[in-house]
């Protein structure tokens, strides 16, 4: 399946914390560069996400803001 | 200014394309890893974004989806 | 590829309008029930979306609001 | 009240699960076609959502992604 | 119609700029406090938004970030 | 740090409710006009948000919908 969201970045699952409703998933997309994601608990379970496994971060370009120092 | 969005990733502006309404900004956040952002044209101009400059990608954790092969 | 977004709804592409920057894609997900999507023009082209073809609408559950009369 | 979000789809509330903070609401928008929504618990209570009742799913077109097999 | 989004703020339409695809609408929600909105051009036309008229800004609470100096 | 999101509105923190995962923050942006925000609990803690303090609401213009009576 191909998705219209522009940013699909491969990485390793570094941490998965499953709460009552949501799961927080941290993906390392480059050495020392991490992305934190919050998805629903059923989504995390359906995907079978586990620490150390491969995963992609998928982000729509309109959800990426830019900041300047 | 500190912002509540969880992901603040430093990078280099690789490409800026300014259209009539929006601007597409590509940031290299690690060697070979890029994030594409769409912001409004006035935002791009206010920030003074230019190719080769430093910039951050800022993304709320609830806007990061996870995908598995 | 499996994605964490909860709503994946199969349908037929009913209309594709490609503008300078964005594309508006209408998907019929049930007889008489349509969803309108706005994606970037490069995304529409990469996916090879065309009228009459099969496609899925993919929506995060936190992006679905509820309204009551 | 009329809202700028492009997709307003009528359906029946099929399931409401109220958690500590959020509520998960499932709406059947056509026979066998469901949309899952996550809203805050106070929103669910203010709207008086109940299983079997009528409700609309309301979605901005920029929040609808497209996927292709 | 009542909507699940938590923030519904009444104001006056101060400026409407209609482009090829999108419209930028500025609403004054208190003396000197404005909110800028980008909606699609068909949405702006369907709502019949005009400068000087009454309108509401409607924002989901999960789309409001917090920043601190 | 300057951010691409168009709406940056100064206010006073009126209420902070910290739950297991998320925090609900209410900001008064003008007399009698409030914005409710949901951010993650770690974000609220990192920012050191407290009732009575100054804070900004930060909202992307594409996340502001318009409604008309």
């Amino acid at each position: 399946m191909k998705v219209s969201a522009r940013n699909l970045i491969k990485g390793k699952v570094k941490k998965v914390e499953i709460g009552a409703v949501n799961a927080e998933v941290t993906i390392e997309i480059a050495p020392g560069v991490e992305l934190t994601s919050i998805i629903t608990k059923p989504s995390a379970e359906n995907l079978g996400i586990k620490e150390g496994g491969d995963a992609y971060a998928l982000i729509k370009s309109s959800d990426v803001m830019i900041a300047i120092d």
Side-chain angles (χ1 to χ4, degrees), chain A residues 46-60:
Chain A
N46 289 345
L47 291 177
I49 297 170
K50 49 183 153 233
E51 292 176 14
D54 293 326
Y56 298 89
L58 179 66
I59 311 162
K60 286 171 36 187

Side-chain angles (χ1 to χ4, degrees), chain A residues 18-64:
Chain A
I18 296 202
V21 178
N22 289 315
E24 186 175 308
V25 181
T26 305
I27 298 196
E28 187 173 56
I29 54 174
V33 183
E34 295 177 2
L35 274 171
T36 298
S37 161
I38 298 215
I39 60 178
T40 62
K41 187 186 172 182
S43 289
E45 292 169 343
N46 289 345
L47 291 177
I49 297 170
K50 49 183 153 233
E51 292 176 14
D54 293 326
Y56 298 89
L58 179 66
I59 311 162
K60 286 171 36 187
S61 51
S62 55
D63 287 335
V64 179

Side-chain angles (χ1 to χ4, degrees), chain A residues 2-32:
Chain A
K2 286 170 62 185
V3 178
S4 59
R6 292 283 287 282
N7 298 294
L8 181 69
I9 303 178
K10 196 166 191 167
K12 284 272 175 213
V13 179
K14 216 167 153 190
K15 206 167 56 174
V16 181
E17 286 180 88
I18 296 202
V21 178
N22 289 315
E24 186 175 308
V25 181
T26 305
I27 298 196
E28 187 173 56
I29 54 174

